[in-house]
Amino acid sequence: MAVLPALALVAAVAGCGSDGGEAKGVPLVREGQLTTCTNPPYKPFESNKDGEIVGFDMDLVDLVAEDLGVPQEVTTAPFETIQSGQALNVGNCDIAASAITITDVREKNFDFSEPYFEATQALLVPKDSGVEKLEQLEGKTVGYQKGTTGEQYARENAEPMGITVKQYPDLGLLLAALENGQIDAVISDDFVLRDYEKKNSGFAVVQEFDTGEVYGFGVKTGNDELREKINEVLARAKEDGTYDRLYEKWFGTAPPE
């Protein structure tokens, strides 16, 4: 699916608030639907399957939509416009759901739900590279996705070691660059790289970095009605076993205790 560049995104949605509505007291940017912004591919959180965006994040947001009595409609956007709050602030969507780590900077741009997932950063390399840790990549190139906490980790930790860092607009292009030998390694979220490792035997996650990250769903600053609804639905899903079922569906194992 084509992804609009940031400027085109703004132009496309300017003035879109006029057709908004609400469901059960929750304001919506589109009448009769809960609109989600995401940035695939980012398996198993969001990916394109047969023309439909599916994944762990989408299934969780579906629970919110069901509670509100409306369908979820998913739209794609560059991750930079999602994590900066632009997609929410211009009214392109109600919820930002794209494996978004909660950070102090992002909390200034939009409001987060309660955390729903724990993550950290990891290092992916070709199995035959002989690389077992980041320090061994001095003089080589590590790739990351623009606007992510992987970028932050690479810039703060890899660059000072004499490692060249290179950005890519999405995970698909980043992993393709590794496959084609354009870069020597990738830094990204651990679960995403573990999922890739399972399906690509020539590559291995060789190191994890304890960054202590948690993901949250984003809403426009001040949209307390939707934020509280998300928190309510997440809490209920964790209590009644729905969260565990969806976790096992997408990750193949029970969630950690």
Side-chain angles (χ1 to χ4, degrees):
M1 181 180 291
V3 177
L4 291 172
L7 291 178
L9 175 68
V10 175
V13 300
C16 68
S18 60
D19 60 349
E22 70 170 44
K24 295 186 178 178
V26 174
L28 302 174
V29 298
R30 297 283 188 276
E31 180 70 43
Q33 67 182 58
L34 182 67
T35 310
T36 301
C37 284
T38 194
N39 177 242
Y42 214 73
K43 291 182 179 181
F45 296 93
E46 36 268 336
S47 61
N48 194 320
K49 181 179 181 182
D50 300 326
E52 180 183 4
I53 305 299
V54 300
F56 183 61
D57 284 351
M58 306 303 98
D59 278 2
L60 288 177
V61 177
D62 261 339
L63 300 178
V64 180
E66 288 169 9
D67 188 278
L68 292 174
V70 296
Q72 177 188 190
E73 296 294 333
V74 182
T75 182
T76 61
F79 188 73
E80 179 62 27
T81 69
I82 294 175
Q83 69 94 28
S84 69
Q86 181 184 4
L88 289 166
N89 291 331
V90 299
N92 195 45
C93 51
D94 301 295
I95 296 180
S98 199
I100 309 170
T101 296
I102 299 173
T103 68
D104 292 341
V105 172
R106 290 171 181 166
E107 285 188 307
K108 294 177 182 177
N109 298 328
F110 54 91
D111 291 340
F112 276 102
S113 69
E114 290 296 320
Y116 69 92
F117 197 87
E118 296 181 359
T120 190
Q121 296 300 303
L123 183 68
L124 178 76
V125 298
K127 265 189 178 177
D128 59 4
S129 66
V131 173
E132 297 179 349
K133 55 185 179 179
L134 187 62
E135 291 85 346
Q136 292 175 273
L137 289 163
E138 181 180 354
K140 297 184 181 297
T141 303
V142 170
Y144 60 82
Q145 182 178 351
K146 182 180 179 182
T148 63
T149 47
E151 172 178 2
Q152 180 180 349
Y153 193 89
R155 290 192 173 278
E156 292 179 357
N157 296 275
E159 266 192 321
M161 294 178 185
I163 299 169
T164 299
V165 296
K166 187 174 182 180
Q167 71 176 25
Y168 291 84
D170 63 51
L171 184 70
L173 293 174
L174 174 59
L175 293 172
L178 181 66
E179 293 169 359
N180 297 332
Q182 297 171 311
I183 55 178
D184 301 289
V186 162
I187 290 177
S188 190
D189 291 7
D190 57 338
F191 278 88
V192 173
L193 296 186
R194 291 289 185 192
D195 185 78
Y196 178 83
E197 177 186 39
K198 289 178 188 175
K199 300 163 186 173
N200 296 271
S201 60
F203 299 87
V205 174
V206 294
Q207 189 176 13
E208 291 190 355
F209 312 108
D210 186 12
T211 54
E213 299 175 42
V214 291
Y215 297 162
F217 295 121
V219 301
K220 187 176 181 179
T221 301
N223 191 350
D224 293 336
E225 296 88 351
L226 180 54
R227 181 178 57 82
E228 290 169 4
K229 174 58 67 176
I230 296 169
N231 290 340
E232 173 191 321
V233 170
L234 287 175
R236 185 167 62 243
K238 289 182 178 180
E239 183 176 338
D240 67 15
T242 302
Y243 180 93
D244 290 2
R245 175 177 57 80
L246 294 177
Y247 191 103
E248 290 187 35
K249 171 185 174 181
W250 291 104
F251 299 98
T253 184
E257 296 292 335

